[in-house]
Amino acid sequence: MKRLFKKHILLGVSGGIAAYKSADLVRRLQDEGAIVRVVMTQGAQAFITPLTMQALSGNPVHTELLDTNAEAAMGHIELARWADLVLVAPASANFIARLSRGAADDLLTTVCLATRAKVAISPAMNQAMWSNQATQDNLAHLKTKGIQVIEPGVGSQACGDVGPGRMPDSEVLVNAAANCFEGGRLLGQRVIITAGPTREAIDPVRYISNHSSGKMGYALAEKFAEAGAQVTLISGPVSLDVPAKVDRVSVISAKDMLDAVLERIADCDIFVSAAAVADYTPSEVANQKIKKSETDIRLALAKTTDIIATVAALKNHPVTIGFAAETNDVISYATDKLVRKGLDMIIANDVSDSCIGFNSDDNAVTVITKDQVKHIGQTNKRLLAGELVEHISHLIGL
Ligand code: PMT
């Protein structure tokens, strides 16, 4: 698996001769599977054109903070939210100084301030500017704010000097970017997530199912893996790619899903049930296609086993987190499920609204535990998944 598969990398380019190397960096990040968008400062555009970066990245290049066209397409807040990682390469001494004092005086500094993603910078400048105490103080301050500083290389510089301040080769920067997604607070935690719908066969060609796309469960798998957890995703039939560093087990029916979960649950610390598991399955499955006749037919349905309730009832059960898909009285029905199924947390979503819940890119949820009710407003499922992983980490004291 490519180390940056489907990761959204916002590449910031500030003004310095090393800006020409950023063109190669775009390509190398893409080779590792990343989707790259570029933000250039005014200084950067004196060294390399936005057109070059646009052609290489395959996306429009962003240069202006106060540009109505740019804001209408993908404004600074959307860019900040889109990024999984903001990588500034090269980061000039001036850019570092502005970032260090929290300036928001151009698009790149503003995005860095607004993003909740990790920010990594690759300083590149003349060796005397690098060694200057002001630059070193600024870098030390940025490190205390969680910004990763990629050490520059040492060698001959464009100005003729020799010393530290060279932007490292693309390979080093790609490695540093990939490392930003490794480690994390959930290192060592083993997580099982169910996702997607189940299909309950009626005969060899027909089945009962639902509208779950798997997006919510897959987004959670991605964010748990990013936080360092070892993730097994037990998935019903969906057409989504497996997130990086996630082990997927494909199943079809509710019974398959139950078996796959029980087979692995003994080694699990956190179980999250985001799947829309069928509550009923045909009592009998016809061996051959049921022929159409003149009369109505009736299907006898049997209850499926409640997977999450089964897990929560195990003697040594993992921390158990469910979802509640409700169309009305969302909070009270969800709270009832929390108690009745013996869960540690339930995440309630209102699936009567087609903009959230089933098969949408967004969701809005209420996180309910025995002593907390917290609403998270409508947002993209990947961003929401990041917040949910925070809540779950907090629940288990990490
Ligand atoms: O997949 P998407 O298109 O992204 O949509 C996301 C989602 C709406 C499917 C997801 O956010 C969600 O709400 N999943 C749970 C759907 C559901 O079946 O809810 P429920 O209220 O019927 O069930 C409550 C809990 O019991 C759920 O955690 C469910 O996974 C679990 N369950 C239900 C039945 C069953 N036989 N076994 C179970 O484990």
Side-chain angles (χ1 to χ4, degrees):
M1 173 64 77
K2 294 181 172 181
R3 293 174 77 199
L4 291 171
F5 182 63
K6 290 224 168 153
K7 293 290 178 236
H8 292 181
I9 310 282
L10 196 142
L11 176 63
V13 185
S14 67
I17 182 60
Y20 82 93
K21 293 189 186 174
S22 312
D24 178 61
L25 180 57
V26 171
R27 273 291 156 85
R28 301 289 80 83
L29 289 166
Q30 289 171 331
D31 288 347
E32 222 22 83
I35 301 163
V36 182
R37 284 183 175 271
V38 180
V39 171
M40 297 177 79
T41 65
Q42 225 174 5
Q45 295 168 63
F47 292 93
I48 185 165
T49 68
L51 195 61
T52 304
M53 300 304 268
Q54 179 166 314
L56 290 169
S57 68
N59 283 313
V61 169
H62 307 268
T63 55
E64 302 297 330
L65 178 58
L66 303 174
D67 172 345
T68 43
N69 288 333
E71 285 294 304
M74 196 182 230
H76 61 285
I77 297 298
E78 278 87 358
L79 276 171
R81 284 187 180 147
W82 175 87
D84 293 320
L85 170 71
V86 179
L87 172 64
V88 184
S92 67
N94 179 43
F95 173 79
I96 290 167
R98 290 188 292 128
L99 190 64
S100 170
R101 64 167 200 272
D105 51 5
D106 68 0
L107 182 58
L108 187 53
T109 47
T110 306
V111 168
C112 288
L113 266 191
T115 194
R116 296 178 69 180
K118 174 116 187 141
V119 178
I121 62 172
S122 172
M125 63 198 74
N126 165 269
Q127 53 84 25
M129 292 168 78
W130 166 258
S131 307
N132 191 294
Q133 196 54 49
T135 302
Q136 292 304 316
D137 288 349
N138 288 333
L139 289 167
H141 181 54
L142 288 175
K143 284 181 188 169
T144 65
K145 295 204 282 187
I147 290 176
Q148 187 181 332
V149 177
I150 303 162
E151 288 298 308
V154 180
S156 58
Q157 301 197 307
C159 55
D161 283 3
V162 177
R166 283 165 58 94
M167 184 162 119
D169 291 343
S170 299
E171 199 184 317
V172 174
L173 295 179
V174 169
N175 248 330
N179 287 340
C180 289
F181 295 99
E182 281 160 16
R185 71 201 287 191
L186 293 180
L187 205 62
Q189 294 290 316
R190 295 156 304 175
V191 180
I192 294 179
I193 300 169
T194 65
T198 62
R199 283 183 188 166
E200 309 304 317
I202 298 170
D203 67 13
V205 297
R206 304 181 181 94
Y207 56 80
I208 300 171
S209 191
N210 59 63
H211 295 293
S212 171
S213 62
K215 287 177 192 169
M216 192 67 248
Y218 275 59
L220 278 165
E222 178 184 345
K223 295 298 169 188
F224 268 111
E226 274 176 19
Q230 185 187 316
V231 183
T232 303
L233 179 62
I234 299 178
S235 171
V238 299
S239 51
L240 297 174
D241 293 322
V242 190
K245 296 207 227 117
V246 168
D247 187 15
R248 178 169 68 181
V249 178
S250 296
V251 296
I252 307 282
S253 67
K255 173 75 170 69
D256 296 341
M257 191 172 270
L258 172 72
D259 291 345
V261 168
L262 292 183
E263 210 174 290
R264 293 162 178 84
I265 205 70
D267 294 327
C268 169
D269 301 300
I270 303 171
F271 176 67
V272 184
S273 184
V277 188
D279 289 316
Y280 293 93
T281 190
S283 303
E284 280 178 28
V285 183
N287 288 332
Q288 294 177 332
K289 183 182 171 190
I290 300 170
K291 293 314 255 181
K292 193 165 135 188
S293 71
E294 294 308 312
T295 56
D296 293 344
I297 59 166
R298 284 179 201 287
L299 269 182
L301 298 176
K303 270 186 90 169
T304 57
T305 303
D306 193 312
I307 302 172
I308 199 169
T310 307
V311 169
L314 293 172
K315 190 157 170 263
N316 291 317
H317 60 82
V319 172
T320 307
I321 295 146
F323 274 77
E326 306 293 349
T327 54
N328 56 294
D329 299 318
V330 176
I331 305 301
S332 69
Y333 281 139
T335 309
D336 174 62
K337 282 178 184 165
L338 175 82
V339 176
R340 192 161 37 82
K341 299 192 186 209
L343 312 183
D344 297 295
M345 176 188 280
I346 196 151
I347 299 156
N349 38 204
D350 181 349
V351 291
S352 67
D353 181 347
S354 63
C355 300
I356 55 175
F358 283 109
N359 200 19
S360 53
D361 287 337
D362 286 3
N363 206 355
V365 300
T366 306
V367 178
I368 306 171
T369 60
K370 68 175 173 17
D371 32 46
Q372 189 202 29
V373 176
K374 168 109 175 44
H375 184 68
I376 306 178
Q378 183 173 339
T379 186
N380 179 278
K381 281 180 180 165
R382 289 178 80 225
L383 286 173
L384 177 67
E387 286 205 37
L388 292 176
V389 169
E390 289 288 309
H391 277 280
I392 296 165
S393 305
H394 194 66
L395 178 76
I396 61 173
L398 289 175

